[in-house]
Each structure stands twice: as C-alpha cells, then as structure tokens.
Amino acid sequence: SRTTREPTRVLLVFAKEDSQSSGFCWACERANFRVTVARTPESALHSFLEKHHDLIIIDHRHSRNFDAEALCRYRTPPPAYVTLTKPLWPDREEATVMPLLSAGFNRRYVENPNVMACYNELIQLHHGEIRSQIKLRACNAIFTALEQSQDAIEISSEDQLIQYVNPAYESVMGYQQGELMAKENVEVPKSEKNKPDLLESINNCIRKGKEWQGLYYAKKKNGDSVQQNVKITPVIGQGGDLQLCVCVCVCVCVSSSDIQSSKHKDRRKGSLDVRSTTSRGSDGSSQRRHSSMARIHSMTIEAPITKVINIINAAQESSPMPVAEALDRVLEILRTTELYSPQLGTKDEDPHTNDLVGGLMTDGLRRLSGNEYIFSTKHPHHLPSHLTTPLSLNDIPPRVAQTMENEDSWDFDIFSLEAATMKRPLTYLGLKIFSRFGVCEFLSCPEATLRSWLQVIEANYHSSNSYHNSTHAADVLHATAYFLCKERVKQSLDPIDEVAALIAATVHDVDHPGRTNSFLCNAGSELAILYNDTAVLESHHAALAFQLSTRDDKCNIFKNMERNEYRSLRQAIIDMVLATEMTKHFEHVNKFVNSINKPLAANGDDEAVKGILMVPENRILVKRMLIKCADISNPCRPLELCIEWAGRISEEYFAQTDEEKRQGLPVVMPVFDRNTCSIPKSQISFIDYFITDMFDAWDAFADLPNLMQHLDNNFKYWKGLDERKLHTLRPPPE
C-alpha cells in the first residue's frame, strides 16, 4: 500500500481487570498494536472520540456493569467492533448473533484468556475487517481526488468497458454526467488523425502489463479532434491478470472553449485515450551497431550520473525482485532529470583539447575593462534584385541538377554544388530535399513561398565566413536528410519531427558572425547582452529564423498552419537549434545513451523497442542527437571533404584569434594561431574528445557503417601527419 499507516489502535472496554483483559493486552503488545483500556462507558466514549480506534472490544459477559449493545450504537463504529461473551453451557442452545450484528458488532469472541487465542483473533481482525475498511477509506479519498483533478481520467475494465470518468474528462470531451458509464471503448468515436497501427501498439503494450505514454488524438462528442498527452497504466490483479486500465489525459491542443481546462495543461501526467508516435518495428541491429554499443558502455567521457546508472544496472542483476523493481523506478527518475552534464576534464591535459573546450563549451566570461567589441546593429539581408523571382525545381540549371543527382548519398560533394551555384547551394539543395520529404504538402504552403523562404534564409548567411556560411548550412541539411532516411530514425519520428529537423538544419547558423559565443561574451557584443551570455548565437539563429519567416507573407512558410500545430513545430525547431550549442554537448550525448541506447540493447523484442522509441522525451533526445551529429559530421565525411572542412574551420578560428589580439580581448583558443597551429593535432583532439563517443552512440542507434569507416580513416590520416610533425592539411608533394 502507498498510504502511510500507524500501528493499529485497540480500545479494550472492561469494567475490571481479569485474565481475559490481560490476555488481550499481552496479545496487542505481541502484535505491535497500541492498546487503551477503559473501565467505564464514559471513559470509553471519551477515549474513542479522542483517538478513533481501529478496533474496540467490549466485555459483554456482565451486563450489570454496562450495556455493551447501547455503547456500540452510541457512535459510528470503527472498522471492527467485537463483543466478548461467556462460553456456552453444554445443555444450553446456541443463541443467534443477529442482535449483536444489529447493534453494530462485527464479531463475537467467546471467552478464552489464552494469549495465542487472543493474538490470533486480533491478527484475523487486522487482516480482515480493519484492512478492508482502511482500503475503502483510501479509495474514497482517491475518488475525491479524481473528482477534483483537472486532468481527464478514465478507468476501464479488462473487457474495455468504461468503469469511471471524472468530471474533467466529461468536460473536455463534451459528454454529460454518466453518459459514458458502462460503454465499450469501441463505441467512443476515434480520431482519424492517429496512425492506423497506434491503437494496436497500445493494446499490445497494455496486454503485456506495461505502461504506455505518448501523444494521441481523441475525438470529442462534437466531432472535433483534440491532441492529448496520455499515460495508460494497467492494474494487475491477483493471479497476474489484467483487471483495470487507468488512463490520464492532458490536452496538448485546446480550443478557445477549452481555455479553462488549458490552465493545467503543463501537468506531467499523460491521459485517457491514447496518442503517440507510430511504431514501425525494429530494423535489425547490424554487427557494427553491436560494436559501437560495446564501446558506449566504456565511454571515456562519463558524467557522474552515468556512473551511478551503471552501478544500479549492475546491482539489479543480482537483486531480488522487489529491489530490482525499486531500482527500476530510481533509474526512471534519473533518466528524466537534468543530471547528465559531466565534470569537464580534458584528456591528458592536451592544450588543443583544452582550447577547444574553453572556446566551445564556456561562456567566455573573461572581460578586460575598456576593451569592448560591439557588433553593429545588423538588419536582416534583403534579396538582391536579380533574385526577386523565386527559383523552381524546373528552373535549376542542368549543371546544378547534375551535381545534385546523388544528393541522397553520404559521399555527396557539397563543394561541387557550392561551385556550381556560385555559393548558393542552400537554396538549390533545399528545394530538392524539401520536395523529396513533402515539406510543402505538410506546411500547406505553395512551392513559390518555400523558394522565397530558402532564398531569404541563404541571403542572411555570411558568404565572407570561411566556415559558417550557407555551404555549411547546406551540408548540415544534407546530413539531416540522410539520417532521417535511416530505419531506426524513421521508427522514432513523426512527419512533424522530420519537417522540424529539416527546417532547423537550414536555419541553425543563420547570420553567424564567424565568431564563437566566448568571443561575443568577452567582447560585450549586443547579442551577448540581449541573450544574457547564454547560448547567444543559437538563440539568435532561432529567433532571427522566425523573424525572417513571418515578416513577409511571400516567404512565410508557416502562414497556413493551424495555430497549435505551428506552436508544436516552432518549439521543436527551437529545441533542435539550441541543441547545437556545445556547452550541453555531453549532457545530450549521455542522456541519449542512457535513455535510449542502453534500454534498446537490453530489450531486443520489437514491442519493447517500440515502447522505448514512442516515449515523447526520447523522441526529443533523438532529434537533438540527429542535428548535433549533422552539425559536426565533417570528420565522418570522405577524406577530401573532411580536409576541406578542417581547413575552413581552422581559418575561421585563426581570424578570431587575430581579432582578439587586435582588440585586446582574451584569446580563448590560443592554439589557433595561424603561425603556430598544428591542424592535424587540432583535428585529432576534436575527434578524440567530441566526435568518437557521440558517433559511436549514433551509429549504435542508426546503423552508419560507412560514416564510421570514414571516421577511422580520417583519424588515421591526421595521426599520420602528426607523427611526421606536419602542421598542414596535406603532406608536401613527393
């Protein structure tokens, strides 16, 4: 039981002490019950009114002392009322107990002062009448709470007959009081917005005694669909059979008529009908994925919470069932809270790694008084006059179209597209990829609007940046599209997630100034002041993307979306863009490994996999991991592309170091001095510290053998240059 219980309280009403009263006193002591003895009716009533005993035993052997039946009728009885009577003489006929029952007694005890007899009587009463009454009182309290709850709650039987719905459910769904009682769930209208196999997936989960949680569209009585966050918990009875299902619903999308209910929509519980992502089954793990999983369990950069989870997992294997179940609850709590940021220490105190951590994972709050570098207030770029007519897929020049023929391949050459499009690869590649994923159809926007939007976004990338320009955005978009086609990723995400990922990849670095967050904070830039030195660039990218999109209907790709769906899409885009900020790199990776990879490795059957992937929090982790890997996937590209990207990011860091020296600002990455820097060493440190563990985790999930092969080859290439003491991108010609 989850209710807190004090020891059972017993009141003995005996006019005088004798062997029988002593027997009950000793029995109470043995059973750890609290006992009170009253000698008069008045003291008995006073004691009961003060302590409300669970069990009252009244001596009924000597009616001249007091009337036991009158005393029993005086107040509402406790869970158990026992009358003590004399033994029956052999020649006397057994009397009926009906007068005693009518008076309110539950039980008659025939005089027997034996301590064990008294003890057994008390134990039987405790496990019978007393415990039943306590449970009934708890049920009354629970149903009172359900009636007052703002969450919509339904309880149905194993035959899917509705046993109970609370007023909040009736209000949200538009039903009258009692209208749904005893109806079968199949009689309640279902929304067409749910995926066809969703209900079957839910029922399979419940039949196995497992809890299900996710998003579900319910149909109200008036025919409107409402999106709810649902949690369905099976109640297992004696014998292990399913007895009831308790469903808790919180509306995610509400109409204006539901505004009162929406005040509580941030509560965590899920709901009654079922809603969630569709499940598409397992794709079958490859040999490489098992290899990556093996490395994940010995990740070199491990947060303290990860170590705790590993210890708990190990302890579960040899623990009895109650302990193992308790540890499961502990793990569930640990996996859903913000406890995944590791203590940042660098490997072998390598200066390149130290500088990368300092430059990418800190806010750079090391200011020098009098040395402020303020970026001028910058207005969004407008399209050049020769680009005011949007491009179309049909208008793409043959050379550009030919360059994009293999854009669905990981080895696609983004630099060839950059050259063919005169540094406008994002618009052309975006048109093709967005068309392939049906983005216009999902957004209900014309292709011309999408084309204008892509051109506006690309115009606000800085072509003067050597790395953070529209070619990088196009490269991240390409990687995102590639990952979205992997079977395990498709199992995890809905169409809205896919569209959010593609848009987030497109805008994730828009208006990037070619300087890191640390630089902006140290310089006291307007952006750093605006965003309080926290995720400065990422916040700016997300905010500007929506400003550019919504300021003009001609490029507003969100214009025709339903309000609540737009809110959901917007939130997903913002979350993914913010996930590219490196200060929470290890937090995202560790949460992904512990909440998704390790549970998947431990639960190989299809239903368990579906259950893990359908958890809303896990879908968010998948999207964050996807865009993070797409954003810094350069070391996993074919060698020639990897080398080119390494040169570009190094040049951008060199330019920042030059700027810091000119302005007298702290140099956040001293190793990136163009006169002394070893590019191979910087790449080795970046791969070793940031890339290897993350892509091991992503490969274990998405199955990416070609990427991991490129990563191995590229790492060996940089190692070879470093061993030869070469600081350049390429070895000198023979």
Side-chain angles (χ1 to χ4, degrees):
S1 173
R2 292 179 180 270
T3 56
T4 302
R5 280 292 301 152
E6 296 180 354
T8 298
R9 291 160 297 188
V10 180
L11 174 62
L12 301 179
V13 185
F14 283 75
K16 60 182 179 180
E17 183 178 357
D18 61 5
S19 60
Q20 185 64 72
S21 66
S22 299
F24 275 120
C25 286
W26 293 333
C28 287
E29 184 177 350
R30 178 169 181 170
N32 290 321
F33 293 169
R34 293 180 181 174
V35 63
T36 304
V37 179
R39 299 299 183 196
T40 65
E42 294 76 18
S43 64
L45 288 172
H46 180 269
S47 181
F48 176 70
L49 292 173
E50 181 182 354
K51 297 184 179 179
H52 297 283
H53 300 82
D54 303 302
L55 168 63
I56 298 178
I57 301 176
I58 302 178
D59 185 2
H60 199 193
R61 294 172 298 173
H62 310 288
S63 58
R64 66 179 180 274
N65 293 327
F66 43 73
D67 187 345
E69 294 180 21
L71 183 61
C72 182
R73 291 191 184 99
Y74 186 79
R75 296 288 296 181
T76 300
Y81 242 137
V82 179
T83 181
L84 173 64
T85 63
K86 291 181 178 181
L88 189 68
W89 291 99
D91 59 345
R92 302 253 330 246
E93 184 178 347
E94 175 76 31
T96 179
V97 297
M98 285 306 299
L100 298 176
L101 295 176
S102 300
F105 289 106
N106 305 94
R107 195 173 179 89
R108 183 185 72 174
Y109 181 80
V110 177
E111 183 179 11
N112 183 351
N114 181 275
V115 173
M116 278 308 298
C118 295
Y119 175 77
N120 290 335
E121 182 71 13
L122 294 178
I123 294 301
Q124 290 179 75
L125 288 165
H126 175 75
H127 284 268
E129 285 87 346
I130 295 174
R131 184 173 288 183
S132 297
Q133 287 294 325
I134 291 171
K135 288 182 177 179
L136 284 174
R137 285 204 299 261
C139 286
N140 287 335
I142 290 170
F143 275 99
T144 300
L146 296 181
E147 290 286 299
Q148 300 299 320
S149 174
Q150 298 297 320
D151 295 342
I153 299 168
E154 175 199 297
I155 300 176
S156 57
S157 69
E158 73 275 17
D159 299 322
Q160 298 194 353
L161 285 175
I162 297 175
Q163 304 289 302
Y164 169 83
V165 293
N166 69 339
Y169 181 84
E170 293 171 331
S171 174
V172 168
M173 303 305 294
Y175 289 96
Q176 298 296 318
Q177 183 177 1
E179 190 175 349
L180 289 171
M181 294 300 293
K183 277 195 174 184
E184 294 188 21
N185 269 320
V186 293
E187 299 178 54
V188 180
K190 301 294 186 293
S191 173
E192 299 77 15
K193 291 190 175 184
N194 294 309
K195 296 190 176 179
D197 60 347
L198 180 57
L199 284 175
E200 184 59 32
S201 297
I202 295 164
N203 289 331
N204 287 339
C205 192
I206 298 303
R207 280 194 291 267
K208 292 183 178 181
K210 296 181 178 179
E211 190 178 80
W212 186 92
Q213 184 169 354
L215 292 177
Y216 179 84
Y217 285 95
K219 180 173 280 189
K220 300 168 69 171
K221 186 177 179 180
N222 64 8
D224 293 344
S225 290
V226 56
Q227 190 181 32
Q228 295 174 327
N229 189 359
V230 177
K231 187 173 187 178
I232 302 182
T233 303
V235 178
I236 306 300
Q238 293 182 347
D241 295 328
L242 177 67
Q243 285 191 337
L244 298 170
C245 286
V246 179
C247 305
V248 185
C249 317
V250 177
C251 289
V252 177
C253 306
V254 294
S255 61
S256 57
S257 61
D258 298 326
I259 196 70
Q260 187 63 31
S261 316
S262 72
K263 292 179 181 178
H264 299 270
K265 78 177 188 176
D266 288 332
R267 296 160 78 103
R268 289 182 49 208
K269 292 286 184 179
S271 104
L272 145 56
D273 288 271
V274 210
R275 48 227 92 191
S276 161
T277 57
T278 186
S279 41
R280 305 184 180 116
S282 172
D283 62 343
S285 299
S286 67
Q287 189 70 28
R288 159 147 286 286
R289 187 177 300 155
H290 290 301
S291 172
S292 291
M293 273 308 303
R295 292 199 294 276
I296 284 167
H297 283 276
S298 59
M299 285 176 66
T300 53
I301 301 169
E302 197 171 43
I305 192 63
T306 309
K307 296 177 183 178
V308 171
I309 288 175
N310 288 338
I311 292 170
I312 293 173
N313 280 325
Q316 276 187 303
E317 296 177 4
S318 57
S319 298
M321 185 58 66
V323 176
E325 290 174 350
L327 292 176
D328 269 335
R329 291 195 292 273
V330 172
L331 289 172
E332 183 180 349
I333 294 169
L334 293 178
R335 286 171 175 153
T336 55
T337 50
E338 300 299 322
L339 301 171
Y340 288 83
S341 295
Q343 296 166 341
L344 287 178
T346 57
K347 300 176 181 178
D348 304 323
E349 297 302 319
D350 173 57
H352 291 79
T353 306
N354 277 324
D355 280 5
L356 286 169
V357 171
L360 300 177
M361 300 191 67
T362 65
D363 60 6
L365 296 182
R366 294 171 289 177
R367 290 181 172 76
L368 301 180
S369 59
N371 287 312
E372 286 195 339
Y373 180 88
I374 305 295
F375 280 95
S376 60
T377 303
K378 187 173 179 302
H379 298 285
H381 287 282
H382 296 273
L383 289 175
S385 57
H386 67 284
L387 292 179
T388 52
T389 303
L391 293 165
S392 166
L393 274 175
N394 298 325
D395 301 330
I396 293 177
R399 181 187 172 197
V400 175
Q402 183 178 3
T403 306
M404 292 194 298
E405 281 180 354
N406 70 328
E407 55 84 19
D408 57 348
S409 165
W410 181 253
D411 294 345
F412 172 67
D413 187 351
I414 193 69
F415 300 116
S416 294
L417 182 63
E418 179 189 61
T421 60
M422 295 180 290
K423 295 189 176 182
R424 287 191 291 135
L426 183 59
T427 297
Y428 289 99
L429 187 63
L431 279 172
K432 187 165 186 184
I433 288 177
F434 278 47
S435 174
R436 176 153 62 92
F437 280 85
V439 174
C440 283
E441 291 80 357
F442 181 88
L443 298 174
S444 300
C445 80
E447 183 188 340
T449 304
L450 174 64
R451 295 194 303 264
S452 297
W453 179 80
L454 284 167
Q455 289 175 316
V456 167
I457 295 298
E458 183 156 37
N460 281 274
Y461 275 91
H462 299 198
S463 59
S464 57
N465 291 342
S466 59
Y467 182 87
H468 287 102
N469 49 42
S470 68
T471 303
H472 167 66
D475 183 63
V476 175
L477 174 61
H478 171 264
T480 298
Y482 182 84
F483 294 151
L484 288 174
C485 293
K486 306 307 290 184
E487 190 59 36
R488 180 64 67 74
V489 178
K490 288 195 291 184
Q491 281 181 263
S492 309
L493 303 182
D494 279 345
I496 191 171
D497 300 313
E498 295 178 352
V499 172
L502 295 172
I503 294 174
T506 303
V507 305
H508 83 282
D509 272 335
V510 66
D511 197 36
H512 197 294
R515 300 291 184 264
T516 65
N517 279 332
S518 296
F519 178 93
L520 299 183
C521 293
N522 284 332
S525 74
E526 291 180 351
L527 287 179
I529 293 170
L530 176 63
Y531 294 110
N532 301 312
D533 296 337
T534 304
V536 175
L537 284 172
E538 292 72 25
S539 299
H540 175 59
H541 303 322
L544 180 63
F546 282 97
Q547 290 171 1
L548 294 172
S549 303
T550 57
R551 70 179 183 183
D552 187 345
D553 284 351
K554 291 180 181 178
C555 62
N556 187 356
I557 58 175
F558 308 115
K559 179 182 177 182
N560 296 324
M561 293 189 73
E562 188 269 330
R563 179 186 299 275
N564 291 307
E565 193 167 42
Y566 167 68
R567 290 282 302 275
S568 298
L569 179 66
R570 170 175 157 79
Q571 188 56 52
I573 294 168
I574 293 170
D575 184 82
M576 292 182 74
V577 172
L578 293 180
T580 62
E581 198 237 342
M582 292 298 287
T583 60
K584 292 189 175 182
H585 171 82
F586 294 111
E587 177 182 334
H588 293 320
V589 174
N590 279 314
K591 290 191 75 170
F592 181 83
V593 168
N594 286 288
S595 297
I596 298 178
N597 276 356
K598 289 184 179 179
L600 286 176
N603 299 279
D605 64 279
D606 289 350
E607 288 303 320
V609 169
K610 289 179 182 178
I612 293 166
L613 298 181
M614 284 193 292
V615 175
E617 290 83 359
N618 287 350
R619 289 166 57 198
I620 293 173
L621 295 179
V622 169
K623 288 184 287 185
R624 290 174 181 172
M625 192 72 165
L626 184 152
I627 197 167
K628 280 184 61 61
C629 289
D631 188 28
I632 54 176
S633 64
N634 307 152
C636 298
R637 293 288 189 180
L639 180 60
E640 286 304 311
L641 304 183
C642 173
I643 292 172
E644 177 65 22
W645 284 123
R648 292 188 177 203
I649 190 63
S650 298
E651 177 55 39
E652 198 164 286
Y653 288 163
F654 294 158
Q656 175 170 309
T657 300
D658 294 342
E659 184 76 26
E660 287 165 336
K661 290 179 178 179
R662 282 197 304 271
Q663 297 293 329
L665 297 171
V667 178
V668 295
M669 294 186 286
V671 297
F672 284 97
D673 185 311
R674 66 176 69 253
N675 298 314
T676 59
C677 180
S678 167
I679 295 178
K681 279 188 184 296
S682 69
Q683 286 297 302
I684 291 168
S685 297
F686 183 66
I687 292 171
D688 194 36
Y689 197 74
F690 292 103
I691 297 297
T692 301
D693 287 340
M694 182 173 74
F695 271 92
D696 275 342
W698 189 234
D699 170 49
F701 178 80
D703 190 21
L704 304 161
N706 51 337
L707 276 72
M708 302 308 288
Q709 187 60 55
H710 285 316
L711 179 59
D712 291 342
N713 293 340
N714 296 341
F715 187 76
K716 291 175 183 176
Y717 173 80
W718 297 120
K719 272 286 191 183
L721 292 182
D722 183 50
E723 288 168 0
R724 296 169 61 184
K725 309 297 184 185
L726 298 174
H727 291 185
T728 55
L729 291 167
R730 302 176 190 275
E734 297 293 340

